[in-house]
Amino acid sequence: MLRRALYNGARHHGGKLAPLFLLLGIAMLCLLPVLRTRKIYVDENAVNQMHPSTNAGSVTAHLDPTVRWPERLVRGRRSPGSEIAAVYVNTDYPASVSLANALIEVIRHRKNLACDVQFYFVNSSEEWPVPQAYTRAALVLNISTLYNRHICIDTLGGNGIQPNQDYTNTAVQLATSNQFLPSYLCQRPHRPTDNVGAELWHYWAYLEASLQLPTHPQPWHKIPTHSINTIAISSDPLFTVRSTFPSPQVPDAFATMVLQIIVSLNNLEEKFHHSTFVWLPVSPLRYVEYDHAQFCIMLFVASIFSTAYSEYQQRGASITPLFVVLLLTPVAAAAAFQVAGWGAVVIASAAFSLLFRVFMTHTKSGMWLSFNAIALCLLIILQPACGLLAGAAAAIQVFFTHSVLQNRPALAVGAAVSALLAYYFIYYLRLPLFGVAGISELFVSFVIYPNAVWIGSRFLCSL
């Protein structure tokens, strides 16, 4: 009886639930960083020493900016020889080289390291090598000055993939205990400042930074993050000049912090045990669990399917290959931009909508909405941050094809909102009209922009 009641309810009223699913998804997306955050912690089963007492001492005498070797393996006195911790040193910055040389001298005299430390001296223009030995984790030294306590801990790899949270939390805790001020947002272009007190702002900025990664790739993004947990420690460009303290205590603190991170990896038993590989920080010390945030994407998918079902209930279904033409619109729009800039993009987009209004006036949207939903489902695994931010936009766009909104005022609002959302991703976030460098670029190019064109064509059909 219950099964039949649920079936009949979904059959007759499933199309009416789209607004509810959409509103719940948006509300959950915005309220999670306010109401459902956790303080960072380190799994005690993964790291023996959460706060190593290791101190590098004074390293001033060893701060040599000379690159002596392309690679340097420092043996641990208790290492079996089969495991390493990799340290990539960006030789574009003499400060990073100086710190690495000082660390090598300090580590050489330690007698309790249970893993080898492999240093790679590389620059940003060359291919970074991938270790052949089993690598517990990789640390990138991308430091431009040793006299500034404002640092970045870059956790985002290719397509927004993050390292195990234990590793990042350890780095943040050790940075804080050594009186550094870490930030997660240094990979965000055009970053004016860090509003540490605004958790929603920090959370949203981190999502934006994840989407924007393909537009400013870093050398360490090519390190396979699915097998090697990687973080990068960089100087914060917002504070490089105005917060410099020419004191030997700051380089000593840098050396101690990095040494403590390496020692934490040295004390690692087996592998990282922390189950969280995707999390959404609302500050360096608090985060939202993806276990909760992923339900936002599920609600957006449910809203899209409900919208498609509402149209099916009213007009039936149709299958046409003409929707493939929608996937060509970002290519043509990108070509128009190369020829005459943003004005040409606006004109081309209006022309595309007019063409779809002429040739696909009576075509139903169900097939295109199904494509949206399937693409969004894939983002749950491929790039969660894109699924949250761009998924919300896609769900809002296609909601205006709902059967109850098939009137001129509603479609006019839908066309404007869809165009505004496309503007946000393409112009404000600087994602390309036609981009294939990452998952976020693909989704914006082949879902967000075509959605705006399609909703515009539905508005023209109502005129």
Side-chain angles (χ1 to χ4, degrees):
M1 292 292 292
L2 178 60
R3 183 183 300 177
R4 178 172 291 276
L6 291 174
Y7 171 77
N8 289 331
R11 180 182 177 185
H12 296 292
H13 305 289
K16 300 176 183 178
L17 297 176
L20 176 63
F21 289 142
L22 181 60
L23 289 175
L24 286 176
I26 295 173
M28 189 175 183
L29 179 65
C30 296
L31 291 177
L32 276 176
V34 179
L35 303 177
R36 195 70 178 179
T37 64
R38 294 191 64 181
K39 187 176 181 180
I40 65 169
Y41 69 97
V42 178
D43 191 326
E44 66 277 6
N45 294 321
V47 181
N48 284 340
Q49 283 181 271
M50 290 176 58
H51 301 286
S53 58
T54 304
N55 192 309
S58 177
V59 298
T60 305
H62 304 301
L63 294 176
D64 182 5
T66 304
V67 178
R68 302 172 186 172
W69 325 270
E71 298 180 12
R72 175 67 188 271
L73 179 64
V74 183
R75 295 285 185 182
R77 298 294 179 89
R78 298 182 180 179
S79 170
S82 59
E83 301 178 0
I84 66 168
V87 179
Y88 291 86
V89 184
N90 190 346
T91 57
D92 292 347
Y93 301 117
S96 296
V97 179
S98 298
L99 179 59
N101 286 333
L103 284 168
I104 289 172
E105 291 301 318
V106 173
I107 294 173
R108 281 179 57 232
H109 296 92
R110 291 192 61 84
K111 298 181 179 180
N112 60 347
L113 279 179
C115 70
D116 298 335
V117 183
Q118 176 74 62
F119 287 84
Y120 296 98
F121 291 84
V122 287
N123 60 54
S124 57
S125 61
E126 65 180 297
E127 189 77 18
W128 287 24
V130 177
Q132 298 300 314
Y134 170 73
T135 306
R136 296 190 175 190
L139 176 66
V140 179
L141 299 182
N142 196 49
I143 300 166
S144 60
T145 175
L146 293 176
Y147 298 97
N148 194 316
R149 291 189 179 272
H150 293 271
I151 63 171
C152 305
I153 298 180
D154 295 328
T155 63
L156 295 170
N159 288 322
I161 301 300
Q162 297 166 292
N164 189 290
Q165 196 181 6
D166 269 340
Y167 186 23
T168 305
N169 290 351
T170 300
V172 169
Q173 288 181 344
L174 294 176
T176 304
S177 65
N178 283 284
Q179 300 180 350
F180 287 97
L181 301 172
S183 171
Y184 280 140
L185 300 180
C186 296
Q187 293 191 63
R188 181 174 181 249
H190 316 294
R191 162 176 160 252
T193 184
D194 281 2
N195 190 351
V196 180
E199 294 185 338
L200 178 60
W201 179 90
H202 190 285
Y203 164 84
W204 199 266
Y206 191 83
L207 293 177
E208 290 181 339
S210 180
L211 263 69
Q212 293 173 297
L213 282 179
T215 64
H216 58 292
Q218 301 294 337
W220 59 86
H221 289 173
K222 295 184 179 180
I223 300 174
T225 49
H226 61 278
S227 58
I228 301 176
N229 292 282
T230 305
I231 63 172
I233 297 179
S234 310
S235 300
D236 193 329
L238 284 182
F239 304 95
T240 300
V241 177
R242 57 179 173 168
S243 301
T244 299
F245 299 97
S247 167
Q249 295 179 350
V250 184
D252 294 346
F254 262 113
T256 297
M257 175 187 67
V258 176
L259 181 62
Q260 288 176 348
I261 293 174
I262 294 173
V263 169
S264 296
L265 296 174
N266 166 73
N267 290 327
L268 193 63
E269 296 176 350
E270 304 170 16
K271 298 180 180 180
F272 288 104
H273 290 264
H274 202 301
S275 61
T276 304
F277 278 84
V278 180
W279 74 98
L280 306 169
V282 298
S283 75
L285 299 177
R286 300 193 70 85
Y287 71 99
V288 171
E289 291 181 294
Y290 182 60
D291 290 348
H292 299 147
Q294 65 183 342
F295 287 103
C296 299
I297 304 178
M298 296 178 187
L299 287 168
F300 296 143
V301 172
S303 174
I304 294 173
F305 276 127
S306 180
T307 300
Y309 187 65
S310 74
E311 185 188 55
Y312 169 76
Q313 285 181 306
Q314 187 177 67
R315 302 175 58 196
S318 64
I319 299 177
T320 172
L322 291 178
F323 276 115
V324 176
V325 181
L326 265 177
L327 301 178
L328 300 178
T329 55
V331 182
F337 175 77
Q338 294 297 325
V339 173
W342 289 110
V345 173
V346 174
I347 295 172
S349 301
F352 298 150
S353 294
L354 183 60
L355 286 174
F356 285 113
R357 183 255 182 269
V358 172
F359 293 103
M360 300 178 69
T361 302
H362 302 291
T363 303
K364 302 169 185 65
S365 304
M367 186 176 175
W368 180 250
L369 267 61
S370 298
F371 172 76
N372 272 257
I374 293 170
L376 188 50
C377 286
L378 293 175
L379 292 184
I380 295 177
I381 299 174
L382 295 177
Q383 190 171 357
C386 182
L388 291 168
L389 201 56
I396 292 171
Q397 287 178 314
V398 301
F399 174 68
F400 288 97
T401 63
H402 197 282
S403 59
V404 300
L405 299 178
Q406 298 307 300
N407 56 76
R408 192 175 301 170
L411 287 172
V413 173
V417 170
S418 297
L420 188 62
L421 289 170
Y423 168 87
Y424 167 73
F425 287 99
I426 296 169
Y427 186 83
Y428 178 73
L429 294 186
R430 309 292 176 88
L431 293 171
L433 276 163
F434 175 58
V436 294
I439 301 298
S440 59
E441 288 190 359
L442 287 168
F443 192 84
V444 170
S445 296
F446 295 105
V447 177
I448 298 296
Y449 178 75
N451 279 349
V453 172
W454 181 249
I455 303 302
S457 73
R458 299 308 90 188
F459 167 64
L460 294 178
C461 288
S462 69
L463 297 179

